[in-house]
């Protein structure tokens, strides 16, 4: 299926003319503030593009959650982002990328032509190019490390030795706005000890929160160890996808960036301003994305729905719209 054709079909379903498709925002999704590192790189590399950022802070961080719950939460938000009219989805969360990437590409790209960009493959490509010794470390949340998504992606480079370590408390420090101090240093030394023992020369920051801790991580690992953040590489993939599918925004008017949080908007805004900068003018609280951008009436996917889908031997495709008289959205 031609992605641009699918995207055009989606635009017609949502009552937007096809010519307006490239003017739509890029959807960026994370469980909290970590994905702002990806948003920052997208803004830097694509300054004419608008961004709609969703931090699912009501359910995040995703790292400690079971994969099924991460999948349910992530697909719920992404369904609503697509229904709200974004032209491209960026999963700026390693835990969500590990849990739903294949589902997302089948659900949004194969069916509706909306490109889906994630953060794992770009980071792996950069690490393969950067390592000198072939010994690579990966740090991430419990969900990401437990999924073995990085090991599976690195499998294409069999000569590498991969050492993976879960660093769950790192996210808590970032979400609290703490990026330095003796307590954080002690935690970093404990977490990173196996990587130092393995003699890695490259460390993949397998969580979009972790680039905000590069100071302490670099201090512990040493200046000779290369830290790989997926943010810049992911933004390059976004650029390629927009160029490939002729989705680059060409408007003369300045872009608009919108930030919404499903949890405490005030706390999110304080952290977002600190970590992203002046582009964060304000953060709105929404229980559901579609409540703020009501182009459709998409219902959130629940863990119970996921469990039913996994256990049913045969089932009809479930419509996630409430009712049958939807006038907007992509027709998901």
């Amino acid at each position: 299926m031609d992605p641009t054709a699918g995207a055009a079909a989606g635009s017609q379903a949502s009552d937007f003319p096809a010519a307006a498709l490239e003017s739509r925002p890029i959807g960026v999704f994370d469980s909290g503030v970590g994905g702002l590192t990806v948003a920052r790189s997208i803004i830097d590399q694509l300054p004419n593009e608008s961004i709609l950022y969703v931090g699912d802070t009501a359910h995040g961080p995703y790292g400690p959650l079971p994969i099924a719950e991460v999948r349910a939460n992530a697909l719920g938000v992404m369904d609503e982002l697509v229904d709200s009219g974004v032209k491209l989805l960026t999963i700026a969360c390693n835990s969500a990328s590990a849990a739903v990437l294949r589902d997302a590409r089948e659900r949004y790209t194969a069916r509706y032509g909306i490109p889906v960009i994630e953060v794992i493959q770009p980071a792996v490509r950069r690490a393969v190019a950067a390592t000198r010794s072939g010994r690579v470390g990966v740090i991430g949340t419990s969900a990401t490390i437990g999924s073995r998504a990085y090991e599976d992606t690195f499998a294409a480079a069999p000569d590498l030795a991969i050492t993976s370590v879960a660093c769950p408390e790192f996210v808590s420090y970032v979400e609290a706005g703490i990026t330095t101090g003796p307590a954080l240093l002690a935690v970093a030394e404990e977490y990173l000890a196996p990587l130092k023992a393995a003699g890695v020369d490259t460390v993949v920051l397998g969580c979009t929160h972790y680039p905000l801790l590069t100071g302490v991580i670099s201090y512990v690992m040493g200046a000779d160890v290369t830290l790989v953040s997926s943010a810049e590489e992911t933004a390059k993939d976004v650029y390629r996808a927009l160029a490939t599918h002729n989705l680059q925004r060409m408007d003369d008017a300045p872009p608009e960036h919108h930030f919404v949080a499903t949890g405490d908007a005030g706390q999110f805004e304080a952290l977002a301003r600190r970590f992203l900068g002046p582009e964060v003018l304000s953060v709105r609280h929404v229980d559901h994305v579609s409540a703020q951008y009501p182009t459709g009436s998409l219902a959130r996917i629940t863990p119970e729905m996921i469990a039913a889908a996994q256990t049913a031997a045969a089932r009809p495709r479930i419509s996630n719209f409430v009712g049958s008289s939807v006038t907007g959205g992509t027709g998901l």
Side-chain angles (χ1 to χ4, degrees):
M1 176 179 179
D2 180 2
T4 54
S11 70
Q12 294 168 357
S14 55
D15 296 332
F16 282 95
L21 182 61
E22 65 273 11
S23 298
R24 294 183 178 189
I26 296 169
V28 181
F29 156 66
D30 185 35
S31 63
V33 299
L36 292 172
T37 59
V38 177
R40 174 76 269 169
S41 290
I42 293 174
I43 291 171
D44 289 343
Q45 295 186 35
L46 294 158
N48 200 43
E49 297 293 339
S50 297
I51 288 178
L52 170 54
Y53 183 99
V54 178
D56 190 21
T57 51
H59 305 99
Y62 286 174
L65 301 180
I67 290 294
E69 191 170 349
V70 172
R71 183 174 181 270
N73 291 332
L75 288 175
V77 172
M78 288 190 291
D79 273 357
E80 293 179 340
L81 273 171
V82 169
D83 192 47
S84 298
V86 299
K87 64 182 178 183
L88 178 145
L89 274 174
T90 304
I91 309 175
C93 173
N94 283 262
S95 298
S97 294
V100 302
L101 177 59
R102 290 183 180 178
D103 294 312
R105 286 183 170 160
E106 177 182 356
R107 193 179 188 88
Y108 311 122
T109 306
R111 295 182 65 192
Y112 300 106
I114 296 175
V116 177
I117 305 300
E118 50 82 44
V119 292
I120 293 176
Q121 293 181 1
V124 167
R125 288 199 303 267
R126 179 62 187 143
V128 170
T131 184
R132 305 175 302 278
S133 66
R135 294 188 293 273
V136 177
V138 178
I139 57 176
T141 65
S142 299
T144 298
I145 299 302
S147 73
R148 299 188 63 83
Y150 273 95
E151 284 87 345
D152 291 345
T153 308
F154 272 116
D159 294 335
L160 300 183
I162 310 300
T163 303
S164 299
V165 178
C167 307
E169 290 187 44
F170 277 173
V171 171
S172 300
Y173 277 97
V174 171
E175 295 281 344
I178 301 171
T179 58
T180 188
L184 174 60
L185 178 59
V187 170
E189 288 176 335
E190 179 182 353
Y191 281 154
L192 301 175
L195 302 186
K196 296 184 72 174
V200 303
D201 70 353
T202 303
V203 175
V204 176
L205 307 182
C207 174
T208 50
H209 287 68
Y210 293 0
L212 301 169
L213 300 176
T214 52
V216 66
I217 295 172
S218 181
Y219 177 77
V220 172
M221 292 303 302
D224 291 337
V225 174
T226 301
L227 303 185
V228 174
S229 166
S230 60
E232 291 187 8
E233 301 303 316
T234 298
K236 292 175 185 177
D237 277 15
V238 171
Y239 186 105
R240 281 191 286 267
L242 295 181
T244 299
H245 303 311
N246 296 316
L247 292 174
Q248 293 166 303
R249 182 177 181 271
M250 305 303 292
D251 296 12
D252 293 330
E256 296 182 2
H257 305 310
H258 296 276
F259 300 84
V260 298
T262 58
D264 185 341
Q267 180 184 18
F268 183 93
E269 182 174 340
L271 290 171
R273 284 180 179 274
R274 175 180 174 184
F275 294 140
L276 182 60
E279 284 80 5
V280 183
L281 298 177
S282 65
V283 176
R284 294 179 181 270
H285 166 78
V286 295
D287 291 323
H288 303 297
V289 179
S290 55
Q292 180 66 30
Y293 301 92
T295 59
S297 55
L298 192 62
R300 290 184 66 87
I301 298 173
T302 65
E304 290 76 18
M305 291 170 62
I306 298 300
Q310 291 174 333
T311 56
R315 65 189 187 283
R317 183 174 295 276
I318 298 172
S319 170
N320 294 303
F321 279 111
V322 177
S324 58
S325 59
V326 178
T327 58
T330 58
L332 281 174

mmCIF file of all heavy atoms in Angstrom, residues 170-201:
data_model
loop_
_atom_site.group_PDB
_atom_site.id
_atom_site.type_symbol
_atom_site.label_atom_id
_atom_site.label_comp_id
_atom_site.label_asym_id
_atom_site.label_seq_id
_atom_site.Cartn_x
_atom_site.Cartn_y
_atom_site.Cartn_z
ATOM 1 N N PHE A 170 16.354 5.428 37.590
ATOM 2 C CA PHE A 170 16.755 6.606 36.814
ATOM 3 C C PHE A 170 15.537 7.434 36.395
ATOM 4 O O PHE A 170 15.557 8.663 36.428
ATOM 5 C CB PHE A 170 17.541 6.186 35.574
ATOM 6 C CG PHE A 170 19.008 5.934 35.814
ATOM 7 C CD1 PHE A 170 19.807 5.416 34.808
ATOM 8 C CD2 PHE A 170 19.591 6.226 37.044
ATOM 9 C CE1 PHE A 170 21.169 5.198 35.009
ATOM 10 C CE2 PHE A 170 20.953 6.007 37.260
ATOM 11 C CZ PHE A 170 21.736 5.495 36.243
ATOM 12 N N VAL A 171 14.479 6.756 35.984
ATOM 13 C CA VAL A 171 13.285 7.467 35.538
ATOM 14 C C VAL A 171 12.679 8.268 36.683
ATOM 15 O O VAL A 171 12.253 9.414 36.514
ATOM 16 C CB VAL A 171 12.253 6.492 34.952
ATOM 17 C CG1 VAL A 171 10.920 7.196 34.687
ATOM 18 C CG2 VAL A 171 12.775 5.873 33.660
ATOM 19 N N SER A 172 12.664 7.686 37.868
ATOM 20 C CA SER A 172 12.094 8.378 39.023
ATOM 21 C C SER A 172 12.856 9.658 39.324
ATOM 22 O O SER A 172 12.251 10.690 39.654
ATOM 23 C CB SER A 172 12.113 7.456 40.247
ATOM 24 O OG SER A 172 11.351 6.290 40.010
ATOM 25 N N TYR A 173 14.168 9.612 39.204
ATOM 26 C CA TYR A 173 14.975 10.821 39.439
ATOM 27 C C TYR A 173 14.650 11.898 38.400
ATOM 28 O O TYR A 173 14.470 13.073 38.751
ATOM 29 C CB TYR A 173 16.466 10.478 39.392
ATOM 30 C CG TYR A 173 16.997 9.930 40.702
ATOM 31 C CD1 TYR A 173 17.124 8.561 40.909
ATOM 32 C CD2 TYR A 173 17.379 10.782 41.732
ATOM 33 C CE1 TYR A 173 17.603 8.048 42.099
ATOM 34 C CE2 TYR A 173 17.867 10.286 42.938
ATOM 35 C CZ TYR A 173 17.977 8.913 43.108
ATOM 36 O OH TYR A 173 18.449 8.421 44.312
ATOM 37 N N VAL A 174 14.569 11.510 37.129
ATOM 38 C CA VAL A 174 14.284 12.491 36.085
ATOM 39 C C VAL A 174 12.897 13.083 36.273
ATOM 40 O O VAL A 174 12.701 14.300 36.176
ATOM 41 C CB VAL A 174 14.428 11.861 34.690
ATOM 42 C CG1 VAL A 174 13.916 12.812 33.611
ATOM 43 C CG2 VAL A 174 15.879 11.493 34.415
ATOM 44 N N GLU A 175 11.904 12.226 36.540
ATOM 45 C CA GLU A 175 10.538 12.708 36.720
ATOM 46 C C GLU A 175 10.429 13.654 37.912
ATOM 47 O O GLU A 175 9.545 14.507 37.961
ATOM 48 C CB GLU A 175 9.573 11.530 36.886
ATOM 49 C CG GLU A 175 9.439 10.643 35.661
ATOM 50 C CD GLU A 175 8.534 11.235 34.598
ATOM 51 O OE1 GLU A 175 7.773 12.165 34.915
ATOM 52 O OE2 GLU A 175 8.593 10.771 33.445
ATOM 53 N N ALA A 176 11.340 13.498 38.877
ATOM 54 C CA ALA A 176 11.359 14.400 40.032
ATOM 55 C C ALA A 176 12.204 15.643 39.777
ATOM 56 O O ALA A 176 12.313 16.512 40.641
ATOM 57 C CB ALA A 176 11.889 13.654 41.260
ATOM 58 N N GLY A 177 12.808 15.725 38.583
ATOM 59 C CA GLY A 177 13.627 16.879 38.243
ATOM 60 C C GLY A 177 15.028 16.829 38.826
ATOM 61 O O GLY A 177 15.733 17.842 38.855
ATOM 62 N N ILE A 178 15.468 15.658 39.269
ATOM 63 C CA ILE A 178 16.793 15.509 39.891
ATOM 64 C C ILE A 178 17.752 14.898 38.872
ATOM 65 O O ILE A 178 17.564 13.765 38.424
ATOM 66 C CB ILE A 178 16.720 14.609 41.135
ATOM 67 C CG1 ILE A 178 15.754 15.203 42.158
ATOM 68 C CG2 ILE A 178 18.106 14.413 41.748
ATOM 69 C CD1 ILE A 178 15.457 14.277 43.327
ATOM 70 N N THR A 179 18.774 15.637 38.491
ATOM 71 C CA THR A 179 19.747 15.138 37.517
ATOM 72 C C THR A 179 21.175 15.166 38.041
ATOM 73 O O THR A 179 22.117 14.908 37.290
ATOM 74 C CB THR A 179 19.672 15.964 36.215
ATOM 75 O OG1 THR A 179 19.908 17.343 36.526
ATOM 76 C CG2 THR A 179 18.306 15.820 35.557
ATOM 77 N N THR A 180 21.355 15.459 39.322
ATOM 78 C CA THR A 180 22.683 15.481 39.926
ATOM 79 C C THR A 180 22.543 15.218 41.421
ATOM 80 O O THR A 180 21.426 15.105 41.939
ATOM 81 C CB THR A 180 23.376 16.839 39.679
ATOM 82 O OG1 THR A 180 24.735 16.759 40.129
ATOM 83 C CG2 THR A 180 22.663 17.961 40.391
ATOM 84 N N GLY A 181 23.685 15.079 42.099
ATOM 85 C CA GLY A 181 23.657 14.876 43.547
ATOM 86 C C GLY A 181 24.233 13.533 43.951
ATOM 87 O O GLY A 181 24.303 12.596 43.142
ATOM 88 N N PRO A 182 24.642 13.401 45.215
ATOM 89 C CA PRO A 182 25.300 12.174 45.681
ATOM 90 C C PRO A 182 24.398 10.947 45.653
ATOM 91 O O PRO A 182 24.882 9.832 45.403
ATOM 92 C CB PRO A 182 25.727 12.522 47.109
ATOM 93 C CG PRO A 182 24.875 13.690 47.506
ATOM 94 C CD PRO A 182 24.612 14.446 46.254
ATOM 95 N N ALA A 183 23.107 11.106 45.911
ATOM 96 C CA ALA A 183 22.215 9.945 45.906
ATOM 97 C C ALA A 183 22.112 9.357 44.496
ATOM 98 O O ALA A 183 22.203 8.134 44.315
ATOM 99 C CB ALA A 183 20.836 10.339 46.424
ATOM 100 N N LEU A 184 21.948 10.224 43.509
ATOM 101 C CA LEU A 184 21.876 9.765 42.124
ATOM 102 C C LEU A 184 23.196 9.144 41.699
ATOM 103 O O LEU A 184 23.223 8.109 41.015
ATOM 104 C CB LEU A 184 21.525 10.929 41.203
ATOM 105 C CG LEU A 184 21.545 10.643 39.699
ATOM 106 C CD1 LEU A 184 20.557 9.545 39.336
ATOM 107 C CD2 LEU A 184 21.236 11.911 38.911
ATOM 108 N N LEU A 185 24.303 9.739 42.099
ATOM 109 C CA LEU A 185 25.616 9.193 41.747
ATOM 110 C C LEU A 185 25.790 7.789 42.302
ATOM 111 O O LEU A 185 26.293 6.892 41.616
ATOM 112 C CB LEU A 185 26.716 10.110 42.268
ATOM 113 C CG LEU A 185 28.157 9.646 42.029
ATOM 114 C CD1 LEU A 185 28.430 9.463 40.544
ATOM 115 C CD2 LEU A 185 29.144 10.638 42.643
ATOM 116 N N ALA A 186 25.359 7.565 43.532
ATOM 117 C CA ALA A 186 25.483 6.236 44.153
ATOM 118 C C ALA A 186 24.652 5.206 43.380
ATOM 119 O O ALA A 186 25.099 4.074 43.148
ATOM 120 C CB ALA A 186 25.044 6.301 45.608
ATOM 121 N N VAL A 187 23.445 5.582 42.992
ATOM 122 C CA VAL A 187 22.590 4.681 42.215
ATOM 123 C C VAL A 187 23.235 4.378 40.867
ATOM 124 O O VAL A 187 23.261 3.225 40.416
ATOM 125 C CB VAL A 187 21.192 5.308 42.022
ATOM 126 C CG1 VAL A 187 20.374 4.499 41.010
ATOM 127 C CG2 VAL A 187 20.455 5.382 43.352
ATOM 128 N N ALA A 188 23.790 5.403 40.218
ATOM 129 C CA ALA A 188 24.423 5.212 38.912
ATOM 130 C C ALA A 188 25.619 4.275 39.015
ATOM 131 O O ALA A 188 25.813 3.402 38.154
ATOM 132 C CB ALA A 188 24.844 6.559 38.337
ATOM 133 N N GLU A 189 26.418 4.436 40.044
ATOM 134 C CA GLU A 189 27.583 3.561 40.204
ATOM 135 C C GLU A 189 27.167 2.111 40.383
ATOM 136 O O GLU A 189 27.807 1.198 39.853
ATOM 137 C CB GLU A 189 28.420 4.042 41.388
ATOM 138 C CG GLU A 189 29.162 5.350 41.095
ATOM 139 C CD GLU A 189 29.906 5.875 42.306
ATOM 140 O OE1 GLU A 189 29.504 5.536 43.446
ATOM 141 O OE2 GLU A 189 30.886 6.631 42.108
ATOM 142 N N GLU A 190 26.085 1.893 41.124
ATOM 143 C CA GLU A 190 25.596 0.523 41.321
ATOM 144 C C GLU A 190 25.061 -0.071 40.017
ATOM 145 O O GLU A 190 25.395 -1.205 39.653
ATOM 146 C CB GLU A 190 24.504 0.513 42.389
ATOM 147 C CG GLU A 190 23.914 -0.874 42.635
ATOM 148 C CD GLU A 190 22.801 -0.858 43.673
ATOM 149 O OE1 GLU A 190 22.576 0.198 44.305
ATOM 150 O OE2 GLU A 190 22.151 -1.908 43.852
ATOM 151 N N TYR A 191 24.234 0.692 39.313
ATOM 152 C CA TYR A 191 23.644 0.194 38.074
ATOM 153 C C TYR A 191 24.694 -0.078 37.006
ATOM 154 O O TYR A 191 24.609 -1.073 36.269
ATOM 155 C CB TYR A 191 22.655 1.222 37.518
ATOM 156 C CG TYR A 191 21.294 1.247 38.174
ATOM 157 C CD1 TYR A 191 20.535 2.417 38.159
ATOM 158 C CD2 TYR A 191 20.742 0.117 38.785
ATOM 159 C CE1 TYR A 191 19.268 2.458 38.744
ATOM 160 C CE2 TYR A 191 19.494 0.158 39.372
ATOM 161 C CZ TYR A 191 18.761 1.322 39.344
ATOM 162 O OH TYR A 191 17.504 1.373 39.914
ATOM 163 N N LEU A 192 25.665 0.807 36.886
ATOM 164 C CA LEU A 192 26.598 0.744 35.764
ATOM 165 C C LEU A 192 27.805 -0.153 36.011
ATOM 166 O O LEU A 192 28.596 -0.387 35.094
ATOM 167 C CB LEU A 192 27.065 2.161 35.411
ATOM 168 C CG LEU A 192 25.940 3.137 35.025
ATOM 169 C CD1 LEU A 192 26.502 4.539 34.815
ATOM 170 C CD2 LEU A 192 25.208 2.660 33.777
ATOM 171 N N ALA A 193 27.923 -0.676 37.219
ATOM 172 C CA ALA A 193 29.060 -1.549 37.543
ATOM 173 C C ALA A 193 29.181 -2.740 36.587
ATOM 174 O O ALA A 193 30.294 -3.065 36.136
ATOM 175 C CB ALA A 193 28.956 -2.016 38.994
ATOM 176 N N PRO A 194 28.096 -3.443 36.230
ATOM 177 C CA PRO A 194 28.242 -4.572 35.295
ATOM 178 C C PRO A 194 28.756 -4.154 33.921
ATOM 179 O O PRO A 194 29.467 -4.921 33.266
ATOM 180 C CB PRO A 194 26.812 -5.127 35.201
ATOM 181 C CG PRO A 194 26.133 -4.683 36.452
ATOM 182 C CD PRO A 194 26.719 -3.341 36.754
ATOM 183 N N LEU A 195 28.412 -2.948 33.481
ATOM 184 C CA LEU A 195 28.896 -2.483 32.183
ATOM 185 C C LEU A 195 30.388 -2.182 32.241
ATOM 186 O O LEU A 195 31.125 -2.483 31.288
ATOM 187 C CB LEU A 195 28.132 -1.230 31.744
ATOM 188 C CG LEU A 195 26.611 -1.351 31.618
ATOM 189 C CD1 LEU A 195 26.028 -0.076 31.029
ATOM 190 C CD2 LEU A 195 26.232 -2.557 30.773
ATOM 191 N N LYS A 196 30.829 -1.598 33.353
ATOM 192 C CA LYS A 196 32.260 -1.343 33.500
ATOM 193 C C LYS A 196 33.030 -2.655 33.575
ATOM 194 O O LYS A 196 34.105 -2.796 32.985
ATOM 195 C CB LYS A 196 32.500 -0.498 34.746
ATOM 196 C CG LYS A 196 31.878 0.906 34.675
ATOM 197 C CD LYS A 196 32.227 1.746 35.881
ATOM 198 C CE LYS A 196 33.691 2.166 35.838
ATOM 199 N NZ LYS A 196 34.021 3.109 36.938
ATOM 200 N N ALA A 197 32.466 -3.627 34.280
ATOM 201 C CA ALA A 197 33.120 -4.931 34.390
ATOM 202 C C ALA A 197 33.208 -5.628 33.040
ATOM 203 O O ALA A 197 34.166 -6.361 32.762
ATOM 204 C CB ALA A 197 32.361 -5.809 35.388
ATOM 205 N N ALA A 198 32.222 -5.399 32.183
ATOM 206 C CA ALA A 198 32.218 -6.022 30.856
ATOM 207 C C ALA A 198 33.132 -5.304 29.880
ATOM 208 O O ALA A 198 33.366 -5.790 28.768
ATOM 209 C CB ALA A 198 30.797 -6.059 30.304
ATOM 210 N N GLY A 199 33.640 -4.139 30.263
ATOM 211 C CA GLY A 199 34.552 -3.397 29.393
ATOM 212 C C GLY A 199 33.898 -2.814 28.155
ATOM 213 O O GLY A 199 34.550 -2.709 27.102
ATOM 214 N N VAL A 200 32.638 -2.398 28.260
ATOM 215 C CA VAL A 200 31.966 -1.851 27.083
ATOM 216 C C VAL A 200 32.593 -0.511 26.710
ATOM 217 O O VAL A 200 33.089 0.227 27.570
ATOM 218 C CB VAL A 200 30.453 -1.681 27.337
ATOM 219 C CG1 VAL A 200 29.830 -3.008 27.742
ATOM 220 C CG2 VAL A 200 30.171 -0.621 28.384
ATOM 221 N N ASP A 201 32.583 -0.209 25.410
ATOM 222 C CA ASP A 201 33.083 1.099 24.964
ATOM 223 C C ASP A 201 31.948 1.980 24.448
ATOM 224 O O ASP A 201 32.161 3.125 24.065
ATOM 225 C CB ASP A 201 34.167 0.950 23.899
ATOM 226 C CG ASP A 201 33.654 0.445 22.566
ATOM 227 O OD1 ASP A 201 32.456 0.069 22.468
ATOM 228 O OD2 ASP A 201 34.436 0.401 21.607
#
